[in-house]
Amino acid sequence: MAEQPQMVSFPVDFSPSDRIMWKIERDPVLRSAVLAVGLLDREPDWEAVHATLARAVEQLPRLRQRVEVSGPAGRRIRWVDDRAFSLDYHLRRVRAPHPGDVRAVLTYAAPFVASSLDPARPPWEFTLVEGLEGGHAAFLLKFHHTITDGVGGVDLAGSVFDTTRDGQARPPAPALDADAEVSSSIQRAVDLARSGLGMVWRPAQTIRTGQRFARSLGRMLQPVSEPLSPVLRGRSLDRRLDVIELPMAELRSTAHAVGGTINDVFLAAAGGGLHDYHERLGHEVPALRITMPISLRSEHDPPGGNRFTPARFVLPIDDPDPAVRAQIAGAIARRWRAEPAVGMTDVLASLLDQLPTSVVTPIFGSMLKNVDVDAVDVPGLTGDAYLGGARIDRMWAFAPPTGAALSITLLSHADSACVGVVSDLAAVTEPRLLVTCLESAFEEVLQRSPRDTVPAGVAS
């Protein structure tokens, strides 16, 4: 029998970053709902699924809260309890469209990705898709990005799914009470105060630090006039979903061989596939503009909400050796993680949040709509997970492009690396070709051995 759920506390007011994320959806292309698709080894018991999600709602009160915008000019955005909450509204059950394979599920789910969630209700939906080939089933979980980010979502999912087929729940996530939430805020205030005292005591160093921060801030907020790709130009609300599956063991092995991380290998493969895609369309493209979230989440942060900053950078994609591409990607990613402005994300968001929605939306539109690719790498669940007596064999995450031409998300799940691709069909006019190119690039990255030498300056 499942344990009695332990309630997890969540912040009430939106953080400055979440406020901006919510406000810029005035432009529908910048919507930021996340979709997770899970493949089940058999059809689950619907009553057990219902019970599991009822337990999740009790344990995670965010799931029964809606967004309230109030105050002059909608200045306050917060989470409030939905007094009319109905779990049955959020749960749906459908039969798979013919032919009942994963492709059919993805085609069915594609319109959900860019559609808006009802603002009068908690912003999430769950759909069970039954009748897949071989007795399988699938689930679609869509939630607004302001509920949580990728890392937070995996943590919350780990506390919701069962660990055994007979319904044994995972140990509840540690409850975060108001004192812990205040303590986290106080620590941030202390850090800022220390920084302020340091400015007084070391004025010369402060000037140099301020100059570095200003340059870093400029790199983060610099408007972009157009995508680097000559073909990934259009933007719309039409989406196509695709999936790729890789063995995690080989991905780790390749990362070790090139002296980098899984994220480095992921970016190298994505870059190689996109280079091949452009070549086949008759264009030679040496580099693309990428957005990659950098996680800022710590063990002291409250669950839910977003603790990341989006880094935008130009990624070279034309080196024929995937190992070199991986090392180039790793060097760029490390450099961005060290940017001074990254550690001041909350302060920066607070400043931008003072601007009217009519101003902040085009600012972010100029930064995001001319990005070629959104690339996301999230560590997933490592052990077996079950829902309603069915094992979750695969789980793909589809991060919103949020203005980019496409998003590519790598989510590890047990011994598999599950890659989800969301294509904006106004930009990616040949989505099947794109996936073919990405599949070949991932295979190449896993099979090719690294060069003995790396170009000077790349790995430093």
Side-chain angles (χ1 to χ4, degrees), residues 10-26 30-34 62 65 67-69 74-79 123 143-150 152 156 181 188 296-297 301-310 345-354 357 360-361 364 402:
F10 290 83
V12 172
D13 288 302
F14 272 41
S15 70
S17 297
D18 288 345
R19 286 171 55 82
I20 290 174
M21 188 179 294
W22 185 266
K23 288 162 66 173
I24 64 175
E25 289 197 355
R26 177 175 181 170
L30 302 182
R31 286 174 182 161
S32 55
V34 179
R62 177 66 82 240
Q65 294 177 326
V67 178
E68 179 183 80
V69 181
R75 287 298 305 158
R76 187 176 190 189
I77 307 178
R78 62 175 182 169
W79 295 98
F143 60 91
H144 196 275
H145 215 314
T146 53
I147 290 181
T148 190
D149 54 29
L156 294 179
E181 191 176 319
R188 287 193 179 92
L296 305 176
R297 187 173 291 276
D301 284 321
N306 289 275
R307 298 290 185 276
F308 74 91
T309 188
T345 297
D346 287 345
V347 175
L348 174 59
S350 296
L351 294 174
L352 292 172
D353 186 41
Q354 301 306 310
T357 301
V360 76
T361 300
F364 275 83
T402 319

Side-chain angles (χ1 to χ4, degrees), residues 309-327:
T309 188
R312 288 180 307 147
F313 53 87
V314 174
L315 179 70
I317 62 173
D318 60 346
D319 194 290
D321 192 317
V324 172
R325 292 200 306 272
Q327 296 201 6

Side-chain angles (χ1 to χ4, degrees), residues 43-44 46 91-98 100 104-105 108-109 112 126-132 136-140:
E43 292 191 358
W46 176 246
L91 307 187
R92 294 90 190 266
R93 185 183 185 188
V94 301
R95 299 294 295 178
H98 182 76
V105 173
Y108 171 77
F112 298 164
F126 176 93
T127 303
L128 177 65
V129 183
E130 299 174 314
L132 296 185
H136 295 284
F139 68 80
L140 315 175

